[in-house]
Each structure stands twice: as C-alpha cells, then as structure tokens.
Amino acid sequence: MSRRSPFAAVMLGSALVALMALPAHAAFPVQTTPDSGGEGSVAQFDHNAYSLPLGNMSMTKRLDFSVGNSFFRNPWVEAPASTDARDGLGPLINTNSCQGCHIKDGRGHPPSGEERAVSLFLRLSLPAEGADAEVLKRQGINPLPHYGGQLQTAAITGFDTEADMQVSYTEKTITLDDGDVVSLRVPEYRIINPAYGQLPDELLTSATCRPAHDRPGASRSHPGRTHHGASRPRGPRW
C-alpha cells in the first residue's frame, strides 16, 4: 500500500491554486454556458440549423460569412461565362455547388429509388502492394489510373462522365439482443458505362455520404477559387 508524502500533497495543492488563479486567455475564454457551442450557440431547430453564423459573431464577420455562404450555396458555371467569380466548373464533377452535397450545410444522404446519387460518393483505389510510396504518402491511397480516387458521375458540356453509379438494396433481417427483429437494407454499388478505360478486377470501392459542413462561411478562406468536394483535378480543380 503506497502512502503519499505531505510534501507531494502540498505541491499538488499549490499547483491547483496557481492554475485557478491564471486569467483566461482572450482567444480561449472559459465557457460559461452549458450549450455545446458556448456563446456562439444559436437556438435553431429547423432545416436551417446548420446554416447560421455564430450567435456571437460581429456584424463585420457576419458580412464575411454571408459572402462565403453565397459561394457555398450558389452554382458554379462553365468557363467562359458572363461572371468570372463563379466560373471554371469541371470538366468532371459530381455536382455544381457545395450545397449540392452538403445539403443545407448538413450531411448528405444515399439515393432513394431511381434518384441519382449526388451527395453519396464512391471512393476508388487499388491495393497498396507495389504502389508508389510518395503517392501513398501524399494521397493515402493507390489511385485508379484515369479515374483517380473518386468516381465523377457528372461532366460539363463536351465531356463524358467517368461512369454511372447504381445503388440497389437487399433487405436483411436481424434479431437484436433484446429480442426485437428489425429489417436493414444492405447496399450494393455498381459502376456501369465506364468511359475512361476498363475497371480492373482488383478495384476497391468505398461509399461515403458528405458530412455536415458546420461553417459554410469558412469556404471563403479556401486558397484561390478551389471548389472542394464537387470535383477533383483533371485540369483546373472545380
């Protein structure tokens, strides 16, 4: 059985007193509200809950937020165009706006019925064995030649889409620990009509829905006019 020395207890008590006496740093104030967003929390419970600026944001910053939010919501267009602020879309894309995937700044969803998959992406890769070490370090995957790491199911005028993606479901019944029986849908993803080369048998795929985008105004701070999420590089990145 160990016994704590009086000296150690005194030192620990002194350290706690010293920490409690330290003033809160201006950039990291102590939270005084139980709301998860602190003083920035906003009481919004409808479909716009993710689309609002922080509650304690200044009017100057709200203007910046509005500009960034407009870039997030409004569609981008092909170049050349009458506007040079939102042009440069394509050539291969998944959709023409950020909000097309991050719906109302929230998360995406899998397609229903015959609906086209937009906010659900299909990641592509090959087994890592024999891949270039620098590519693996930089991208985290071994990308598929001619297709890269993400399937692009849309394109601008004059270009073929990489392929079409079909999603189908099989019902699976399982019994939970409490005895309840529930039916789940097991998805199956198929790539059809590949336009840029035959797909290899060792192709690896992973489906992902776009996550919530908790600060759409921050898109204004992206370098250049990169349209993240809607496409990947094949020429300009839009």
Side-chain angles (χ1 to χ4, degrees), residues 88-92 225-238:
L89 180 70
L92 299 175
R225 293 203 304 268
T226 300
H227 185 41
H228 292 272
S231 68
R232 59 171 169 72
R234 185 186 295 276
R237 181 175 182 176
W238 302 100

Side-chain angles (χ1 to χ4, degrees), residues 75-144:
W76 293 74
V77 297
E78 302 175 26
S82 58
T83 175
D84 61 359
R86 302 178 190 279
D87 67 331
L89 180 70
L92 299 175
I93 57 176
N94 284 95
T95 186
N96 62 353
S97 70
C98 301
Q99 186 158 267
C101 296
H102 307 268
I103 302 168
K104 297 297 288 185
D105 305 298
R107 69 188 301 270
H109 60 79
S112 176
E114 298 299 321
E115 181 184 14
R116 176 176 168 266
V118 176
S119 56
L120 181 142
F121 289 169
L122 199 61
R123 302 296 192 190
L124 310 174
S125 66
L126 293 173
E129 291 79 7
D132 184 275
E134 285 300 317
V135 173
L136 288 176
K137 180 179 179 180
R138 184 173 64 252
Q139 300 189 30
I141 62 168
N142 182 14
L144 185 64

Side-chain angles (χ1 to χ4, degrees), residues 167-173 183-189:
V167 185
S168 59
Y169 299 94
T170 302
E171 295 289 333
K172 180 179 181 180
T173 301
S183 181
L184 303 178
R185 296 196 306 170
V186 180
E188 179 183 358
Y189 307 100

Side-chain angles (χ1 to χ4, degrees), residues 2 4 9 22 52 57 81 100 102 108 124 130 143 147-148 150 153 158 168 182 187 189 196 205 215:
S2 62
R4 182 175 298 170
L22 289 175
L52 300 177
M57 185 178 288
H102 307 268
L124 310 174
Y147 291 90
Q150 177 177 299
T153 55
S168 59
V182 297
Y189 307 100
Y196 296 92
T205 62
R215 195 170 298 171

Side-chain angles (χ1 to χ4, degrees), residues 4-106:
R4 182 175 298 170
S5 70
F7 177 76
V10 171
M11 291 299 293
L12 178 60
S14 300
L16 291 174
V17 170
L19 287 174
M20 294 173 64
L22 289 175
H25 194 284
F28 304 98
V30 175
Q31 184 167 317
T32 59
T33 170
D35 296 332
S36 59
E39 298 298 331
S41 298
V42 178
Q44 190 81 15
F45 304 99
D46 59 12
H47 59 282
N48 289 312
Y50 285 95
S51 300
L52 300 177
L54 294 173
N56 58 354
M57 185 178 288
S58 67
M59 291 305 297
T60 301
K61 292 297 184 181
R62 284 175 183 263
L63 178 60
D64 292 338
F65 177 92
S66 297
V67 173
N69 201 24
S70 70
F71 277 93
F72 187 86
R73 290 185 291 105
N74 296 332
W76 293 74
V77 297
E78 302 175 26
S82 58
T83 175
D84 61 359
R86 302 178 190 279
D87 67 331
L89 180 70
L92 299 175
I93 57 176
N94 284 95
T95 186
N96 62 353
S97 70
C98 301
Q99 186 158 267
C101 296
H102 307 268
I103 302 168
K104 297 297 288 185
D105 305 298

